[in-house]
Amino acid sequence: MKIDRDFHMMKGDDEFSYAKNSRIQRRAILATRPMVEKAIREMCIDLHPQSIVIVDLGCSFGANTLLFVSEVITTICENRNSALEESAMEVQFFLNDLPGNDFNQIFQSLEQFEQLTKQHCACRGLQPPPYYVAALAGSFYTRLFPSNTIHFFHSSMSVMWLSQVPENLHGSMNEGNVHIGATTPPMVAKLYQNQFEKDFMQFLRMRCREIVHGGRMVLTVVGRKSKDVFDAGRTTTIFELLSQGLRTLFAEGRVEKEKLDSFNIPIYCPSVDELKQLVWQNNLLDISDMDGNPMDDLEPTEGAAAAQATGQSMSVTLRAVIESLIASHFGDSILDELFTVFARNFTSYIESEVEKSTITVITLYLQANH
């Protein structure tokens, strides 16, 4: 599995596409809006830039991508006649993701977005600043921009994805699991932890070279509230149920044992303390604010039909995110059956008496001090 080549959210706008199944990611963007607005305001007050360069790392595509752009434009509009400069500040947006991302979908949506933005601002008696949108393909674990050129970095629900399957995780070391599960050996969990530390430190090093002095970053990740690496709440449950689905297909002869045991999803859910420690080690960034909150992504369910609908909804949401990884490893012939089994397993989980966990979302607001 080569992440840069194989990994992307599901393209298009059909029933399994990311554009149609990214409700959880949208809620995360909306939840962090106050912190993004605060960071933009404070950065503009401190730096007084005539033009600002803003980057969305791991932007994906669909309505969520342009939701962030809209938030920034609105914040600048609302503050232009107060805290910010009265002159027309120009804004350059760079939307970054891996080369397999559906950038075409973004640009096909821009004309309508620009019209809606003008209407939205006009209704409130505001004038949007001149702004420009460009895309940049590439891994955010590499250098992406010249030194000291970026004023604001944003990333939502992306930086928990690793640059690769953890180094030295080979063969059947994580037998029967696709992630850190109940039967995962502690040594494998440590490999995941080590890979995240290495990747996140690299991410911060690259951004610190690119950001201007006094620039800001707002980073949102799926994390965990527990110090226990084996307990990432709902995220752990989801991957346990996916592992269960693959084991079912193995029992039916649809999946080879070697393929099952060697498939590991390259994602790690850090704790608040882990993130703090890594930022402190970097020594070039100050933590201005930090938030770690549970996000209950399930609608209240009463009755079998509602539980089944929730199971199906979670199945298509997960499929929109990880189908590309599963297809590159197992082939695409198992996809429909696997996610049907997952929906059934998740429905059973919803209907069970087990206390339901939540997804934990952690947001960091950082300022460059170098």
Side-chain angles (χ1 to χ4, degrees), residues 157-210:
M157 309 287 265
S158 295
V159 183
M160 68 276 180
W161 289 100
L162 305 174
S163 65
Q164 62 177 69
V165 171
E167 215 172 343
N168 301 317
L169 176 50
H170 305 301
S172 59
M173 291 172 65
N174 197 20
E175 185 178 2
N177 297 293
V178 302
H179 195 245
I180 300 172
T183 61
T184 293
M187 175 181 63
V188 170
K190 184 62 178 169
L191 290 176
Y192 266 97
Q193 199 169 25
N194 291 346
Q195 187 67 48
F196 176 78
E197 289 177 3
K198 177 182 175 183
D199 283 348
F200 192 65
M201 289 298 287
Q202 171 74 355
F203 174 89
L204 294 180
R205 275 194 299 272
M206 296 301 97
R207 303 297 78 81
C208 284
R209 293 177 187 173
E210 297 162 346

Side-chain angles (χ1 to χ4, degrees), residues 40 70-85 89 91 117-118 120-122 124-131:
I40 293 286
S70 177
E71 284 182 0
V72 173
I73 291 170
T74 300
T75 300
I76 291 172
C77 277
E78 289 176 344
N79 291 273
R80 183 181 295 167
N81 296 320
S82 52
L84 306 185
E85 297 292 328
M89 183 194 305
V91 187
T117 299
K118 284 179 183 175
H120 174 70
C121 289
R124 304 168 71 179
L126 301 171
Q127 177 69 33
Y131 66 93

Side-chain angles (χ1 to χ4, degrees), residues 106-171:
I106 299 172
F107 288 108
Q108 287 163 1
S109 305
L110 270 182
E111 185 177 353
Q112 183 184 21
F113 171 78
E114 288 168 1
Q115 292 172 354
L116 291 173
T117 299
K118 284 179 183 175
Q119 291 171 12
H120 174 70
C121 289
C123 287
R124 304 168 71 179
L126 301 171
Q127 177 69 33
Y131 66 93
Y132 312 90
V133 180
L136 180 69
S139 168
F140 50 51
Y141 293 117
T142 64
R143 273 294 295 273
L144 295 169
F145 299 97
S147 299
N148 304 311
T149 55
I150 309 302
H151 296 86
F152 184 77
F153 280 111
H154 172 264
S155 183
S156 184
M157 309 287 265
S158 295
V159 183
M160 68 276 180
W161 289 100
L162 305 174
S163 65
Q164 62 177 69
V165 171
E167 215 172 343
N168 301 317
L169 176 50
H170 305 301

Side-chain angles (χ1 to χ4, degrees), residues 18-65:
Y18 179 81
K20 290 279 179 66
N21 298 286
S22 49
R23 176 178 54 87
I24 296 171
Q25 293 87 340
R26 183 178 184 83
R27 287 183 62 184
I29 293 173
L30 292 172
T32 57
R33 177 184 280 169
M35 204 177 285
V36 168
E37 291 175 347
K38 180 183 178 187
I40 293 286
R41 281 197 306 270
E42 292 179 350
M43 182 266 295
C44 290
I45 291 168
D46 288 352
L47 302 182
H48 302 287
Q50 289 302 303
S51 62
I52 57 176
V53 183
I54 293 175
V55 180
D56 190 15
L57 299 162
C59 65
S60 193
F61 60 93
N64 292 349
T65 303

Side-chain angles (χ1 to χ4, degrees), residues 141 157-162 179-180 192-193 195-197 200 219-229 231-233 235 267-278 290-293 359-364:
Y141 293 117
M157 309 287 265
S158 295
V159 183
M160 68 276 180
W161 289 100
L162 305 174
H179 195 245
I180 300 172
Y192 266 97
Q193 199 169 25
Q195 187 67 48
F196 176 78
E197 289 177 3
F200 192 65
L219 311 174
T220 301
V221 299
V222 176
R224 65 180 200 276
K225 62 181 179 181
S226 171
K227 291 187 177 180
D228 181 3
V229 72
D231 180 15
T235 311
I267 191 171
Y268 180 80
C269 301
S271 67
V272 168
D273 287 345
E274 282 176 307
L275 289 169
K276 279 182 182 175
Q277 194 61 42
L278 293 171
M290 194 168 189
D291 210 358
N293 288 311
I359 290 176
T360 297
V361 175
I362 301 172
T363 302
L364 278 168

Side-chain angles (χ1 to χ4, degrees), residues 340-370:
T340 298
V341 173
F342 175 86
R344 194 163 60 236
N345 291 344
F346 198 83
T347 299
S348 297
Y349 161 73
I350 293 298
E351 292 176 325
S352 70
E353 296 300 317
V354 177
E355 184 180 350
K356 306 303 180 287
S357 56
T358 56
I359 290 176
T360 297
V361 175
I362 301 172
T363 302
L364 278 168
Y365 168 20
L366 306 175
Q367 178 175 345
N369 61 27
H370 63 289

Side-chain angles (χ1 to χ4, degrees), residues 178-327:
V178 302
H179 195 245
I180 300 172
T183 61
T184 293
M187 175 181 63
V188 170
K190 184 62 178 169
L191 290 176
Y192 266 97
Q193 199 169 25
N194 291 346
Q195 187 67 48
F196 176 78
E197 289 177 3
K198 177 182 175 183
D199 283 348
F200 192 65
M201 289 298 287
Q202 171 74 355
F203 174 89
L204 294 180
R205 275 194 299 272
M206 296 301 97
R207 303 297 78 81
C208 284
R209 293 177 187 173
E210 297 162 346
I211 200 167
V212 301
H213 176 73
R216 270 42 172 206
M217 296 188 210
V218 174
L219 311 174
T220 301
V221 299
V222 176
R224 65 180 200 276
K225 62 181 179 181
S226 171
K227 291 187 177 180
D228 181 3
V229 72
F230 286 86
D231 180 15
R234 174 74 49 73
T235 311
T236 296
T237 302
I238 287 169
F239 288 130
E240 285 274 26
L241 294 175
L242 185 66
S243 298
Q244 201 178 101
L246 283 166
R247 291 195 297 269
T248 298
L249 295 194
F250 163 68
E252 294 173 353
R254 297 293 312 282
V255 167
E256 297 172 15
K257 184 78 164 71
E258 183 186 357
K259 284 281 189 183
L260 169 60
D261 290 343
S262 61
F263 181 63
N264 293 283
I265 295 175
I267 191 171
Y268 180 80
C269 301
S271 67
V272 168
D273 287 345
E274 282 176 307
L275 289 169
K276 279 182 182 175
Q277 194 61 42
L278 293 171
V279 172
W280 289 335
Q281 284 179 36
N282 172 270
N283 205 34
L284 295 173
L285 296 160
D286 295 326
I287 299 175
S288 298
D289 201 355
M290 194 168 189
D291 210 358
N293 288 311
M295 188 174 71
D296 192 355
D297 54 307
L298 298 181
E299 302 296 332
T301 55
E302 289 185 16
Q308 193 173 8
T310 300
Q312 179 60 25
S313 174
M314 183 57 71
S315 179
V316 293
T317 297
L318 181 63
R319 180 170 182 169
V321 173
I322 66 168
E323 176 176 317
S324 61
L325 295 179
I326 292 173

